[in-house]
Amino acid sequence: MKRALRVSRVVTFVYFVLNGVLLGMWVVQIPAVEERVGISHAALGGFLVLLGAGAFAGMQVGGRLSDRLGTRTVVPAAGVLCSVTLVLPGLAQEPWALGAALLVFGFGNGTLDVSMNAHAVQVEKAYERPVMSAFHATFSVGGVLAALTGAVAIDIGWDAATTLGAAAGVGVITALVAAGGLLPAEPAAPVTDTQGEPEVRNRSVPTRIWLLAVLALLIMLCEGAANDWSVLHLKTVLGAQESTAAFAYGTYAATMTIGRLLADRMSARFGPAAVLRYGSALAGVGITIVALSPWVWAALTGWALFGLGLSGCIPQLFSAAGHADPAAAGTNVSRVAGLGYIGMLAGPAVIGWMTHLMALNHAFLLLALFCATAAAAAGVLRPSPERSRVVELTS
């Protein structure tokens, strides 16, 4: 295997870790920023919507730029943009300034997210075997590094602006230094004059992409709900101590990371459709245990199964979107990631709304339904014979 390809894989890991660190550093500083700006928890929820809106816009722009300019150009530029804009929330003194800062930082984060995923698809294609899930696992590692670093910064007395500024500086250097290892843009696919097949490609690929995007929305809605409600479930429904309740998210996040480290091998052996089908089914079993069990130990087991089951699903969807049309990999990934991100933001709100109608644990049964839907629709990851023939003719 060529050294340049191995280097490009390592560099892609670096950008995924960088994205996890930058986003995690903001999360760690949320309480300090909230206190300095003088907003309530309820108001903060509205500001986080601006962060999500910026990210969605950045994904759409980043996807199209990646297709037009190549990921080798867009990824480092997006890394610099995301790093520089990280410091803005730390400098905000007024609510309007914080809103603008989060909108801009969200844009940078979304641009980096989709462009690095588009490059990951390019690396995976060159490797000729699944490698996407491992990249997503290192994003989680970046979040852990951010939590540890942020805790140290708080202990030594750094304020939010200083901490985020230091992280921004390291991020800019990292993004620029790693740029040299990125793969060059792939040559555009030649136009084929085979009768009727371009029309098949134009008709079928967008439909499949939107199906992948809907599945991403369902899966990431489940992830968002777990992020915000797992700890509260153990504390308020099962009466666990705060220290014990924290393990709900901890077990979920740990099995999510472990699962993503293993998912590439599972995908190579059994196929991406099997990873989505059986992973979603396992997640559905896990969240059903959470919803119905009266015991803390069983609920923790359920959250662990939920994270393990969901772990490999999103990487398979992103990978399928990127491989569907090499000439539009960035755009297709941005569609799937963008709709998925909406699900991530909507998950906590959907569960919160349902708690007005039923108990929190019973609301989780909706997530089980979404998991069952994803399992039933996993066949969308199998390319049709017509699509496979078109890809061969245009590659």
Side-chain angles (χ1 to χ4, degrees):
M1 187 175 294
K2 294 182 180 179
R3 179 179 180 275
L5 183 55
R6 292 196 298 269
V7 170
S8 69
R9 187 183 183 190
V10 172
V11 164
T12 307
F13 280 127
V14 170
Y15 281 106
F16 271 80
V17 172
L18 174 63
N19 192 209
V21 167
L22 295 176
L23 193 59
M25 291 299 293
W26 150 246
V27 171
V28 171
Q29 295 299 323
I30 285 177
V33 172
E34 182 185 47
E35 181 179 357
R36 188 185 65 251
V37 176
I39 57 176
S40 65
H41 294 327
L44 177 64
F47 284 104
L48 294 179
V49 171
L50 292 176
L51 177 69
F56 181 83
M59 288 176 182
Q60 308 316 303
V61 173
R64 286 165 174 76
L65 288 178
S66 295
D67 291 334
R68 180 173 298 182
L69 304 177
T71 55
R72 190 171 190 174
T73 298
V74 178
V75 171
V80 170
L81 176 63
C82 189
S83 299
V84 170
T85 56
L86 172 64
V87 74
L88 298 180
L91 297 174
Q93 300 288 338
E94 300 292 338
W96 67 265
L98 178 60
L102 291 178
L103 188 66
V104 175
F105 174 58
F107 184 89
N109 176 65
T111 306
L112 176 58
D113 190 308
V114 75
S115 61
M116 71 185 187
N117 271 288
H119 184 265
V121 169
Q122 192 176 342
V123 172
E124 186 174 61
K125 182 179 179 181
Y127 264 81
E128 299 181 339
R129 62 181 174 87
V131 296
M132 178 68 79
S133 295
F135 292 136
H136 284 245
T138 55
F139 173 86
S140 301
V141 171
V144 173
L145 292 176
L148 296 174
T149 304
V152 171
I154 292 172
D155 285 341
I156 63 178
W158 285 11
D159 60 13
T162 303
T163 302
L164 297 182
V170 173
V172 168
I173 295 172
T174 302
L176 294 176
V177 170
L182 295 169
L183 292 177
E186 294 179 325
V191 177
T192 176
D193 58 359
T194 304
Q195 185 176 3
E197 289 183 346
E199 286 73 21
V200 171
R201 179 171 177 261
N202 289 335
R203 286 197 306 268
S204 61
V205 172
T207 300
R208 182 171 182 247
I209 292 301
W210 287 120
L211 289 174
L212 295 172
V214 170
L215 291 178
L217 183 147
L218 297 181
I219 295 297
M220 293 184 73
L221 189 150
C222 291
E223 293 182 6
N227 290 341
D228 281 28
W229 290 104
S230 56
V231 175
L232 285 173
H233 163 252
L234 253 70
K235 182 180 178 181
T236 61
V237 176
L238 300 182
Q241 298 291 328
E242 288 189 11
S243 57
T244 302
F247 280 102
Y249 178 74
T251 54
Y252 163 81
T255 55
M256 171 77 75
T257 303
I258 293 170
R260 284 181 170 172
L261 291 173
L262 299 175
D264 287 329
R265 293 182 182 180
M266 297 297 100
S267 180
R269 183 171 181 179
F270 301 109
V275 173
L276 178 59
R277 176 175 292 111
Y278 296 111
S280 298
L282 179 62
V285 171
I287 198 63
T288 301
I289 293 173
V290 169
L292 302 180
S293 175
W295 304 295
V296 170
W297 65 267
L300 290 173
T301 302
W303 284 117
L305 294 176
F306 194 54
L308 184 63
L310 293 179
S311 62
C313 296
I314 287 299
Q316 308 312 312
L317 297 173
F318 282 17
S319 179
H323 288 298
D325 183 358
T331 300
N332 287 335
V333 170
S334 73
R335 289 167 177 162
V336 175
L339 202 58
Y341 200 83
I342 290 176
M344 177 74 78
L345 295 173
V350 168
I351 297 298
W353 176 79
M354 291 187 66
T355 59
H356 294 292
L357 305 175
M358 62 188 71
L360 173 60
N361 55 318
H362 294 157
F364 290 151
L365 291 174
L366 178 66
L367 307 183
L369 177 61
F370 290 161
C371 290
T373 302
V380 72
L381 290 180
R382 293 198 185 101
S384 65
E386 293 82 0
R387 184 179 295 110
S388 299
R389 185 168 65 253
V390 169
V391 171
E392 290 176 1
L393 289 168
T394 58
S395 61

